[in-house]
Amino acid sequence: DTWTWDGSKVYCKGTPVGVTRSTKQFENFELVATWRHLKSGGNSGIFIWTSETALTGLKPGQLPPGGIEVQVLDHGYAEQYEAKTGKKPDWFTTHGDVFPVGKANMTPFPPVAPGGKRSFPRKNLSRGVGEWNHYYVRAINGEVRLWVNGEEVSGGTNCEPRKGFICLESEGAPVEFNNIRIRELP
């Protein structure tokens, strides 16, 4: 099994690529979690408002084709991208991007990535590989806001869908999530 749950701690070895999801759907909620990548270049995320349809029939190695992703990305990912392409990354950051995936939609808060769909963080606050980061996500009435290590940095409004499962996602590298708490809001 790729994912291991131990109370409020979740570990994923990263292969195969995949997700673990909540047992119920959420509409309005607050989520708190700490996370750290255990390998440079780790790529993970917290999907919110992921529909049943987007999760139906997923196989190991697949990610849900829908939902809003709160990016959990190690700084080494940007370094590896630059070494591979010879270009600085301009379409992603490693500090808490928020964006729609697949058929989902969102109006991003500025600053906005080229292409207009991804909310870039206003500040660079994420810590590097092996260090714990704290995320606070507030999702209410189709609006999502992300705080990284204590400061609000990114988000969006007019999200569709605006109700669904919460998923933890990993793409190829080991990651740990700890102290995960979800509080439903009216």
Side-chain angles (χ1 to χ4, degrees), residues 5 8-9 12 17-18 25 29 48 54 65 71 75 87 92 98 103 110 129 136 150 157 168 171 180:
W5 285 82
S8 68
K9 186 174 184 179
C12 180
V17 168
Q25 295 190 44
F29 64 91
I48 66 167
Q71 186 77 69
H75 302 314
K87 301 179 205 170
F92 71 90
V98 177
K103 295 179 181 180
V129 68
Y136 166 68
T157 191
L168 301 179
E171 293 186 50
I180 301 166

Side-chain angles (χ1 to χ4, degrees), residues 2-79:
T2 301
W3 293 88
T4 306
W5 285 82
D6 179 15
S8 68
K9 186 174 184 179
V10 182
Y11 171 79
C12 180
K13 63 184 180 181
T15 54
V17 168
V19 297
T20 185
R21 71 174 179 110
S22 59
T23 56
K24 65 179 271 186
Q25 295 190 44
F26 294 89
E27 185 171 0
N28 295 333
F29 64 91
E30 295 174 306
L31 179 144
V32 175
T34 56
W35 62 267
R36 67 178 174 178
H37 284 288
L38 303 177
K39 181 179 174 187
S40 180
N43 183 355
S44 187
I46 300 169
F47 276 66
I48 66 167
W49 294 324
T50 304
S51 70
E52 180 78 47
T53 306
L55 294 166
T56 302
L58 277 183
K59 295 174 178 63
Q62 292 182 319
L63 296 174
I68 305 298
E69 183 170 352
V70 178
Q71 186 77 69
V72 173
L73 196 59
D74 178 63
H75 302 314
Y77 191 88
E79 294 162 6

